[in-house]
Amino acid sequence: MLQKGDKAPDFKLFATPDQQFSLSELKGKNVILAFYPADWSPVCSDQMALYNEMLKYFDKYNAAILGISVDSRWCHLAFSDSRKLHFPLLADFEPKGEVSKLYGVYDEENGESSRALFVIDKEGYVAWSYLSPTAINPGADGILDALESITPKN
């Protein structure tokens, strides 16, 4: 798993059935990567709903959030529409788990992304990472603390 100080690898994944999204498109912003096991699971649904509610707080730190799992773009579209999510869910679908593996958070035994969080600073370096137990929603406190630590004080 990538740790604080590691360069965050760039990637390009489908965000919708016909649009791809790359990490480098967010250059100059802080980025939160939320890897999670599966759309529709109870814990993942709660976690993504929480982050949807936290968007205005993330925005105060000039931060964008991206959800990433091995589900397909069509599955993400249905999940996002049903939960009224206002941030991209990226399909690490084919080759399966390639980006999760780059970040060291692919669960080979279950064939899905682990539940893991990364805060990446504006320069593209990991400022904070956290591997959560699969059955536990990691919440947003660690994300906010990391964003606070990398935000210059006025």
Side-chain angles (χ1 to χ4, degrees), residues 2-119:
L2 296 181
Q3 298 295 315
K4 182 177 180 176
D6 291 335
K7 182 73 175 168
D10 195 20
F11 55 80
K12 191 171 194 176
L13 294 171
F14 278 98
T16 68
D18 58 359
Q19 291 182 314
Q20 290 189 310
F21 193 91
S22 65
L23 180 62
S24 58
E25 290 178 45
L26 295 173
K27 188 174 181 181
K29 290 189 72 109
N30 297 312
V31 178
I32 303 154
L33 299 181
F35 289 88
Y36 63 100
D39 293 342
W40 309 105
S41 81
V43 177
C44 297
S45 295
D46 289 348
Q47 183 184 8
M48 295 303 117
L50 171 65
Y51 297 157
N52 201 46
E53 295 298 317
M54 297 293 297
L55 291 175
K56 63 184 175 189
Y57 297 101
F58 298 154
D59 191 54
K60 288 180 182 175
Y61 294 101
N62 191 27
I65 185 167
L66 304 171
I68 301 175
S69 80
V70 298
D71 292 300
S72 75
R73 47 192 147 166
W74 293 102
C75 187
H76 280 328
L77 181 63
F79 179 66
S80 183
D81 284 350
S82 77
R83 300 296 192 268
K84 300 182 179 6
L85 299 179
H86 298 287
F87 61 92
L89 299 179
L90 304 181
D92 194 10
F93 183 72
E94 187 60 39
K96 186 177 181 180
E98 182 177 52
V99 173
S100 299
K101 291 173 186 170
L102 278 175
Y103 281 77
V105 294
Y106 184 72
D107 180 344
E108 295 280 352
E109 185 176 331
N110 293 309
E112 57 193 24
S113 302
S114 299
R115 190 176 310 284
L117 300 169
F118 294 88
V119 172

Side-chain angles (χ1 to χ4, degrees), residues 4-5 30-31 57 60-63 118-122 125-129 140-154:
K4 182 177 180 176
N30 297 312
V31 178
Y57 297 101
K60 288 180 182 175
Y61 294 101
N62 191 27
F118 294 88
V119 172
I120 300 167
D121 67 21
K122 296 174 185 177
Y125 288 91
V126 175
W128 176 79
S129 61
D141 290 348
I143 295 169
L144 293 174
D145 289 347
L147 290 170
E148 183 70 28
S149 74
I150 60 174
T151 301
K153 311 291 184 268
N154 291 331

